[in-house]
Amino acid sequence: MSNLKTSQLDPFVMILFGGAGDLARRKLIPALYGLYRNGLIHERFSVIGLGRSPRETEDYRQIIMESVEKHFRLPVEHRGELEAFSRHFEYISLDVHDREGYHRLKERVEDRERGLGIPENRLFYLAIAPGLFGEVSFHLRDCGLARTHGWKRLVIEKPFGHDYPSAKELNDRIRETFQEDEIYRIDHYLGKEMVQNIQVIRFANTLFENMWNNRYIDHVQITASEVVGVEDRAGYYDGAGALRDMVQNHILQMVMLVAMEPPSRLKPEAIHDEKIKVLRSLRRWKEEEVNRNMVRGQYTGGFQNGKPVLGYREEDGVREGSHNETFVAGRLYIDNFRWSGVPFYIRTGKRMNQKTTEVVIQFKGVPGQLYFNKDNNLDPNLLVIKINPEEGLSLQINAKKPGAENEVVPIAMDFCHDCEESSPEAYESLLRDAVEGDRTYFTHWDEVSLAWKFVDPIRKAWDQQTDSTLCFYEAGTTGPKEADALLARDGYRWHSSGLSTSVVRGNQITEEGKGKS
Ligand SMILES: NC(=O)C1=CN([C@@H]2O[C@H](COP(=O)(O)OP(=O)(O)OC[C@H]3O[C@@H](n4cnc5c(N)ncnc54)[C@H](OP(=O)(O)O)[C@@H]3O)[C@@H](O)[C@H]2O)C=CC1
Ligand SMILES: O=C1O[C@H](COP(=O)(O)O)[C@@H](O)[C@H](O)[C@H]1O
């Protein structure tokens, strides 16, 4: 999020397709409210929510207020403020296939612009099924709504295609109406505070940037584990799987941010250029290499918080005997000067033992070993970037064990990012950026296309294999043992919350990390 003053913000009309859908209710409307109450959007803004369902604007405004009360990250303090916020919204019933309906929509948008003195700044947000993106984009051009005297921007949700050819087809379609710099492809991980902090930690600290290479970094681990299962999204997820759902976008975005070279300027194009170079250097696994470097898993029934939970194949809407993966682990290499020989291990899965998103940088050992821990060894230095649910940093270093002569223990220096003040939700940050026209934290087409080109051969290899390479793991655990073996073969193990062994905080030695990984 840039530091623009609110007086510099533009008035705008937001045309929200899927205006009463799940994403709108749970994320977008509360995010807009967060910006509104903090004065981070222009007071002259208007939102036109769309959907097929018939609905009066007054009823829609009730939905707006309910969704804020239920899903905004803080309790609503001023009812009057919330009511005033809801009056910025109105609703139109429109089926996106109804060509004529777009003319009605155009009239309404122009009416709002005239009424509020808004200079044709239009933010189109597609919170609808991905299959509808291309068609909506076409109609927006066809009816003239996408011709403006101000700015026009298209915010588009994931998934962007299901492989490279489908993503390209969609992109070509959208590009008939919008230029690349008018397209804001959402990856909500890029709106997370600590994901944005990766660049700052790297490029604002001599301490880290000097060591951020294969001479000092041994390997990198990126984890995005979830406790939730497929929930009510089997219709989408059972055809997508964890590789498309998490790796193609969120995980590769984190890889790019960890591995990129410093951009020449803090401008979207300069940053995208560096991120794209990482994907160009990312080694693409050939089909015959996939099984040595990638693991796919699926959860079976188990226990979470002491309660029994179903296996994936028993979940509502999942195809009988589905081979869809709910877990992926992998070993990635970035073949450039900086990262040559440094493995990046990634893993993501549903129904695991804990919700954790984090990046762990494991540094190489000292050249000679003068000091030893109680196991006659020396723990590695770790930098843990905690993204979710905790936000912060932890640096593990070795120090003298209090009172002992030569024994060393790992100590953790912790920084909590959200302890003083709750961080804005990812969508709050991204929506504000879209309104400001800052594309830094949106994905460029080249990133999307190269990410698919990395993922597609893996997908193809898995689709051709039978069940034998699908590894099962019990719900509530850390994933299949084959994911542990992937690291064990290289002499490593997964760090859980970065804490691989006993850790000293102040004078207290805790056993936090033990046995968790
Ligand atoms: N929900 C989430 O947490 C996330 C969602 N996304 C993405 O966001 C998008 C929306 O997802 P989500 O909100 O969950 O989906 P929902 O099904 O909850 O909402 C979709 C909305 O689209 C409207 N809609 C459906 N068909 C049409 C049509 N033909 N014409 C006009 N409106 C239509 C529906 O309203 P009506 O029935 O009244 O027409 C509904 O309100 C998807 O692309 C999804 O992948 C991405 C990340 C997370
Ligand atoms: O995009 C997605 O992300 C969520 C996980 O997001 P997080 O912010 O809670 O880490 C995942 O559950 C979902 O399957 C996927 O589509």
Side-chain angles (χ1 to χ4, degrees):
M1 215 185 276
S2 61
N3 291 323
L4 287 183
K5 297 220 171 60
T6 52
S7 58
Q8 291 174 285
L9 295 170
D10 296 330
F12 65 97
V13 175
M14 177 172 178
I15 298 109
L16 177 55
F17 290 86
D22 179 69
L23 182 72
R25 287 180 200 233
R26 283 193 310 110
K27 300 285 181 190
L28 304 180
I29 294 162
L32 264 177
Y33 177 72
L35 299 180
Y36 171 82
R37 77 190 265 284
N38 290 329
L40 297 173
I41 44 177
H42 200 286
E43 61 209 16
R44 269 181 292 135
F45 79 97
S46 177
V47 182
I48 300 181
L50 302 164
R52 288 165 306 182
S53 311
R55 196 175 268 127
E56 294 299 325
T57 283
E58 272 318 307
D59 298 330
Y60 187 51
R61 289 178 178 166
Q62 282 302 322
I63 292 177
I64 301 301
M65 290 194 279
E66 280 161 23
S67 102
V68 172
E69 280 171 330
K70 199 161 165 200
H71 300 293
F72 185 57
R73 62 191 157 89
L74 300 169
V76 173
E77 283 167 2
H78 304 293
R79 178 76 193 172
E81 184 183 66
L82 178 57
E83 281 170 4
F85 172 71
S86 75
R87 287 196 288 277
H88 287 263
F89 287 74
E90 60 181 277
Y91 182 83
I92 301 184
S93 168
L94 169 80
D95 188 318
V96 298
H97 307 299
D98 169 15
R99 195 170 184 158
E100 289 310 309
Y102 287 83
H103 294 283
R104 260 190 306 123
L105 172 63
K106 182 166 180 272
E107 276 167 29
R108 188 72 76 91
V109 171
E110 288 170 347
D111 194 44
R112 297 297 287 169
E113 288 170 343
R114 268 193 304 274
L116 293 167
I118 298 175
E120 295 191 3
N121 295 327
R122 294 173 186 163
L123 186 73
F124 302 99
Y125 199 119
L126 307 191
I128 46 176
L132 304 175
F133 294 166
E135 183 172 350
V136 173
S137 167
F138 166 79
H139 287 304
L140 292 177
R141 182 170 56 113
D142 187 51
C143 76
L145 250 180
R147 266 192 308 277
T148 76
H149 290 106
W151 49 253
K152 65 174 191 294
R153 292 172 195 148
L154 179 74
V155 185
I156 193 159
E157 272 296 336
K158 63 164 281 211
F160 200 92
H162 57 269
D163 54 12
Y164 172 71
S166 60
K168 171 138 184 14
E169 194 182 321
L170 173 60
N171 199 55
D172 289 347
R173 190 106 201 259
I174 291 170
R175 285 296 306 275
E176 289 166 9
T177 308
F178 296 90
Q179 302 294 320
E180 174 62 27
D181 63 5
E182 294 172 325
I183 305 171
Y184 291 67
R185 297 178 194 83
I186 292 256
D187 182 314
H188 79 278
Y189 269 53
L190 291 179
K192 289 180 190 274
E193 278 282 301
M194 287 307 294
V195 171
Q196 298 187 355
N197 216 348
I198 294 174
Q199 288 180 82
V200 184
I201 292 160
R202 288 191 51 193
F203 303 133
N205 292 294
T206 319
L207 185 66
F208 296 126
E209 188 45 27
N210 281 341
M211 298 182 71
W212 213 261
N213 55 50
N214 54 9
R215 268 169 292 150
Y216 297 103
I217 292 182
D218 189 76
H219 71 273
V220 177
Q221 297 185 11
I222 298 179
T223 297
S225 64
E226 295 187 84
V227 171
V228 294
V230 65
E231 298 182 292
D232 55 1
R233 295 170 69 218
Y236 150 73
Y237 191 82
D238 200 39
L243 184 69
R244 289 188 178 115
D245 186 48
M246 292 292 291
V247 177
Q248 189 272 343
N249 37 64
H250 311 319
I251 298 275
L252 288 183
Q253 283 295 334
M254 290 190 277
V255 169
M256 282 183 254
L257 292 170
V258 170
M260 68 190 260
E261 295 300 315
S264 54
R265 295 166 298 147
L266 280 186
K267 292 282 178 218
E269 286 313 316
I271 294 172
H272 287 144
D273 283 353
E274 297 308 333
K275 287 169 70 185
I276 288 161
K277 284 186 205 160
V278 175
L279 288 185
R280 291 214 175 99
S281 308
L282 183 62
R283 195 181 300 171
R284 290 191 196 153
W285 296 128
K286 299 193 189 78
E287 279 175 54
E288 64 275 16
E289 294 170 325
V290 166
N291 291 342
R292 245 180 304 132
N293 294 287
M294 303 293 300
V295 172
R296 59 174 176 149
Q298 189 186 82
Y299 61 83
T300 58
F303 286 85
Q304 258 171 341
N305 297 326
K307 292 201 183 111
V309 291
L310 293 176
Y312 179 70
R313 289 180 179 178
E314 286 91 60
E315 300 266 25
D316 252 7
V318 170
R319 290 161 298 160
E320 205 183 324
S322 169
H323 291 185
N324 191 42
E325 80 282 354
T326 59
F327 175 97
V328 172
R331 180 172 57 174
L332 277 44
Y333 283 101
I334 296 159
D335 291 324
N336 62 17
F337 257 48
R338 189 186 282 264
W339 295 110
S340 178
V342 178
F344 280 60
Y345 299 102
I346 58 163
R347 68 176 162 165
T348 180
K350 290 197 184 285
R351 280 273 184 255
M352 292 176 65
N353 64 336
Q354 57 179 351
K355 170 79 183 166
T356 304
T357 308
E358 67 183 16
V359 176
V360 181
I361 311 290
Q362 178 165 328
F363 292 92
K364 288 188 170 162
V366 286
Q369 207 163 329
L370 295 171
Y371 294 100
F372 297 87
N373 64 17
K374 65 177 177 357
D375 302 324
N376 219 16
N377 216 327
L378 197 57
D379 293 278
N381 291 146
L382 301 176
L383 173 67
V384 185
I385 304 173
K386 300 177 193 176
I387 294 165
N388 195 7
E390 258 183 272
E391 293 180 0
L393 281 183
S394 180
L395 182 62
Q396 179 178 293
I397 60 176
N398 289 306
K400 185 172 177 297
K401 182 176 177 182
E405 237 175 62
N406 280 331
E407 190 180 327
V408 295
V409 284
I411 60 167
M413 298 165 73
D414 280 338
F415 161 68
C416 173
H417 185 80
D418 60 343
C419 285
E420 305 265 297
E421 201 179 319
S422 81
S423 299
E425 284 266 346
Y427 273 99
E428 230 169 298
S429 163
L430 293 173
L431 261 177
R432 183 186 172 191
D433 286 351
V435 171
E436 286 180 359
D438 182 347
R439 290 176 71 242
T440 306
Y441 295 113
F442 294 84
T443 52
H444 193 282
W445 163 243
D446 289 343
E447 293 167 43
V448 177
S449 65
L450 287 163
W452 279 123
K453 285 178 181 171
F454 170 77
V455 156
D456 283 352
I458 302 171
R459 181 75 272 154
K460 192 167 165 213
W462 283 346
D463 286 347
Q464 284 167 358
Q465 292 161 2
T466 57
D467 241 8
S468 61
T469 59
L470 181 64
C471 314
F472 293 94
Y473 61 101
E474 203 181 316
T477 64
T478 55
K481 58 183 186 331
E482 288 80 356
D484 298 337
L486 180 75
L487 268 71
R489 281 205 303 272
D490 295 344
Y492 304 127
R493 67 193 199 92
W494 293 103
H495 297 295
S496 183
S497 294
L499 303 169
S500 55
T501 178
S502 59
V503 167
V504 179
R505 287 208 171 75
N507 281 337
Q508 275 195 321
I509 301 181
T510 65
E511 298 283 311
E512 293 175 55
K514 276 203 156 171
K516 272 197 198 166
S517 62

